[in-house]
Amino acid sequence: MDAQEILWTDAELYRQRYEKTATALIAVECALRRERPLDGGEEEFLHLYEFLAAANPEFFTQVWEDPSAYFWARRAYELTGASLSGDTLPAELEKYCAAIGTHDPRAALALHLEEFKRFIIAVAMIAREDYVFRRPLIAKLPFSIPGIAFSVFGSGDLAVRAVNAGALVAEYQSRTIQLDPAGAAPEADSPRLMKRPVARCGEYELLLKPEAFYLPGITAADALREVAPDFQETQVGLVEEALALVERHHPLAFGHLREVVKLTALKPPAFGDYSNVSYSDLPGAFILSAVQEPYWIADGLIHEFFHNRLFFIEEREAILTNAGAEDGESSGEFYSPWRDDLRPLSGLLHAIYVYIAVSQFWFSVLRSGETSEPRTAYSVDQAVRATLQLRIASRLLRRYAQFSEFGADLFREMGKEVDAAWTTMHEMGLAADAPAMIMRGDGQIILGGTRPDGCPLSIIETIRQHAARYDVNHQSGDLESLLTAEIPRLADAGSIRR
């Protein structure tokens, strides 16, 4: 096994995930056709499946690579198994069932199979084929049509009855309407089909589509529902600047983004109780806060992509045998230098992986000499801060994590990258007692705090303060030996070598 290749360059991971999604769909169809757990209630799905299986492979691939396809296929596979076995539902599936309004796995499966109609709509629209549903899809507006740039906007419920020559035929408030991508604008109070904006960098197109996250159990989408429909349009330029920065300063990440990430959604930084977020069940998608600074957005793109990539790797084989909560969504037991709450070991592992890549981005920005103050000071803060945090988190994992054989090989390779960041920081003359800087939501860069004497807090002081406050179980050990060994002081550091 080549751990470095698996971590950073292997593209086979993506093909395997898409194949797994298609395999899950086939397995669901076979089980439902053979076992009939819904006593005939699965009949329309089986008919829909035949339409999709007979579709143009190019159209099928376009739709089935949408992030929501994995979400749908995984839940369908789990619900089919639960309906056949009668076993107690795992916590995540129970949470999904509650989100769609039932605790009965058979009733949940019936509701979930209805959502398969969204993929039929998408393929029929792309192919401009006609398709009439036996029962309409009752869709809560707004909703995303997977695999294409269109979403349906409005309020209330829309009953989609058919696709006719690329247009949706639906019933809304007791009247029949037609939603045509090329048609005239609808009346003000009617549902409307809208093409969502795209950010471009060379041949790469990144769709900005919040509605793609409006799925049961995706709680982060609640913040997106408060955002005006035209907000995404106003952020295209910001995202395009950020993509160009990623291409210039982390071309490896840019190549992966272009291969994997289909869509994103932006929200004002004050909306919601989080900054950025990815979900393992929505591969190739994530939500970003629209901090008005392209370097910050570039950092976020790299950060969230590598979360996505590690989800792919973890699906191949377990890395930790005592990982804790999946996706790090629940409270954990371990100090994290990035967070104010305790985290599961899986959360620390993800943080190390993504911040290795993030630190590489900021080192490259500093080497380029392209920034001026205060961006340069912020770039120094981010490069140094990430390096120090990586050292702390790596020590924690070495102390407390139990690795599979596969995981041990990967973590050794990550350790080499953490050491490389430490070496790079020294070679570039970056000092841990440089002023701490923070980025506000409006893109303004300010000092990260001051001492009682009015002098700026240093990066290393803020790291120490964070550990003193939040490492309640004293897990990080002697920080001074870890963070100050051979770190040049600011007075001796000189200028950053480009």
Side-chain angles (χ1 to χ4, degrees):
M1 183 186 82
D2 188 333
Q4 184 180 47
E5 181 180 357
I6 290 172
L7 285 172
W8 308 114
T9 60
D10 181 21
E12 183 70 9
L13 291 165
Y14 311 139
R15 185 188 63 80
Q16 291 171 350
R17 189 104 187 238
Y18 294 135
E19 286 181 352
K20 184 173 183 177
T21 308
T23 300
L25 173 60
I26 294 168
V28 167
E29 189 273 342
C30 290
L32 294 180
R33 188 176 297 279
R34 182 179 63 251
E35 302 295 338
R36 305 284 174 153
L38 302 181
D39 299 324
E42 58 280 292
E43 193 61 40
E44 185 176 18
F45 166 76
L46 297 174
H47 186 70
L48 298 171
Y49 175 89
E50 290 173 0
F51 174 82
L52 196 65
N56 181 311
E58 182 180 340
F59 300 157
F60 171 82
T61 299
Q62 178 179 336
V63 171
W64 208 243
E65 288 186 355
D66 187 271
S68 65
Y70 182 89
F71 181 91
W72 184 91
R74 178 170 179 172
R75 293 290 176 262
Y77 186 88
E78 293 170 338
L79 286 169
T80 300
S83 298
L84 293 172
S85 70
D87 293 341
T88 302
L89 299 180
E92 193 65 24
L93 190 57
E94 194 171 63
K95 177 181 169 184
Y96 176 78
C97 291
I100 62 177
T102 181
H103 294 286
D104 176 16
R106 283 164 46 104
L109 176 60
L111 291 170
H112 188 73
L113 292 179
E114 284 292 299
E115 296 301 306
F116 189 68
K117 292 173 181 176
R118 297 186 186 221
F119 303 103
I120 304 302
I121 289 170
V123 170
M125 287 182 69
I126 296 168
R128 300 191 66 81
E129 291 187 33
D130 296 347
Y131 193 92
V132 179
F133 295 120
R134 296 180 182 181
R135 296 186 307 273
L137 168 66
I138 308 301
K140 184 174 180 60
L141 297 175
F143 80 91
S144 168
I145 302 173
I148 61 177
F150 285 94
S151 294
V152 181
F153 278 80
S155 59
D157 292 339
L158 182 73
V160 183
R161 296 192 172 278
V163 179
N164 181 16
L168 301 186
V169 180
E171 189 172 300
Y172 182 71
Q173 297 181 349
S174 302
R175 57 193 173 93
T176 300
I177 61 174
Q178 183 161 304
L179 303 175
D180 190 338
E187 298 175 11
D189 60 343
S190 293
R192 59 200 184 278
L193 197 59
M194 287 180 58
K195 190 172 186 179
R196 307 305 279 140
V198 171
R200 295 178 173 84
C201 185
E203 296 182 355
Y204 179 39
E205 295 186 348
L206 179 60
L207 186 61
L208 277 56
K209 198 180 192 189
E211 313 77 55
F213 296 89
Y214 296 173
L215 297 166
I218 304 298
T219 55
D222 293 344
L224 297 175
R225 295 179 185 275
E226 304 175 32
V227 179
D230 62 354
F231 180 77
Q232 306 305 310
E233 292 276 3
T234 66
Q235 307 306 310
V236 169
L238 175 67
V239 176
E240 290 182 339
E241 285 187 71
L243 287 171
L245 288 171
V246 177
E247 184 179 31
R248 182 158 70 249
H249 293 297
H250 207 308
L252 174 66
F254 183 80
H256 286 304
L257 278 165
R258 188 172 53 196
E259 178 76 16
V260 176
V261 179
K262 309 297 181 184
L263 58 90
T264 188
L266 283 92
K267 67 175 186 66
F271 284 38
D273 59 356
Y274 63 93
S275 179
N276 307 328
V277 68
S278 299
Y279 285 90
S280 63
D281 287 346
L282 284 174
F286 44 74
I287 301 171
L288 296 175
S289 288
V291 173
Q292 297 300 301
E293 167 56 69
Y295 285 86
W296 193 97
I297 298 294
D299 173 313
L301 288 166
I302 294 167
H303 182 128
E304 296 306 321
F305 162 73
F306 278 101
H307 275 307
N308 270 247
R309 182 171 172 87
L310 191 54
F311 289 141
F312 280 59
I313 295 171
E314 289 172 320
E315 185 128 329
R316 171 175 170 170
E317 192 173 335
I319 297 175
L320 295 168
T321 60
N322 62 336
E326 184 179 358
D327 291 356
E329 289 183 349
S330 301
S331 61
E333 302 175 12
F334 299 95
Y335 171 66
S336 167
W338 292 278
R339 296 283 295 255
D340 296 348
D341 55 341
L342 297 180
R343 304 297 289 157
L345 290 170
S346 59
L348 281 176
L349 178 72
H350 268 261
I352 291 172
Y353 184 59
V354 302
Y355 275 97
I356 287 168
V358 165
S359 69
Q360 291 166 348
F361 169 78
W362 290 111
F363 286 137
S364 176
V365 170
L366 289 167
R367 286 193 194 98
S368 73
E370 68 189 30
T371 60
S372 57
E373 297 296 347
R375 274 180 175 165
T376 299
Y378 182 74
S379 300
V380 170
D381 177 286
Q382 293 299 286
V384 172
R385 185 176 301 279
T387 301
L388 300 184
Q389 291 167 326
L390 284 167
R391 284 175 66 80
I392 296 170
S394 295
R395 171 188 277 181
L396 285 162
L397 276 185
R398 284 194 301 270
R399 285 182 171 181
Y400 299 107
Q402 297 170 16
F403 292 97
S404 66
E405 183 178 351
F406 172 75
D409 286 342
L410 296 186
F411 186 63
R412 276 192 292 271
E413 191 62 38
M414 288 187 203
K416 295 176 184 177
E417 298 291 350
V418 173
D419 291 343
W422 183 248
T423 299
T424 299
M425 190 181 82
H426 282 283
E427 290 178 347
M428 294 181 66
L430 304 181
D433 61 352
M437 310 298 292
I438 58 175
M439 180 83 67
R440 299 196 332 182
D442 61 3
Q444 184 178 354
I445 298 167
I446 60 175
L447 287 172
T450 56
R451 302 179 194 137
D453 63 3
C455 293
L457 280 173
S458 68
I459 301 165
I460 196 168
E461 283 175 316
T462 60
I463 295 281
R464 290 183 186 122
Q465 287 181 357
H466 188 275
R469 183 172 183 180
Y470 297 110
D471 185 9
V472 294
N473 296 320
H474 308 290
Q475 294 165 330
S476 54
D478 177 15
L479 284 187
E480 293 310 303
S481 63
L482 188 69
L483 302 182
T484 62
E486 300 181 8
I487 295 180
R489 309 309 294 170
L490 183 61
D492 304 320
S495 61
I496 297 167
R497 293 205 293 273
R498 309 298 185 189

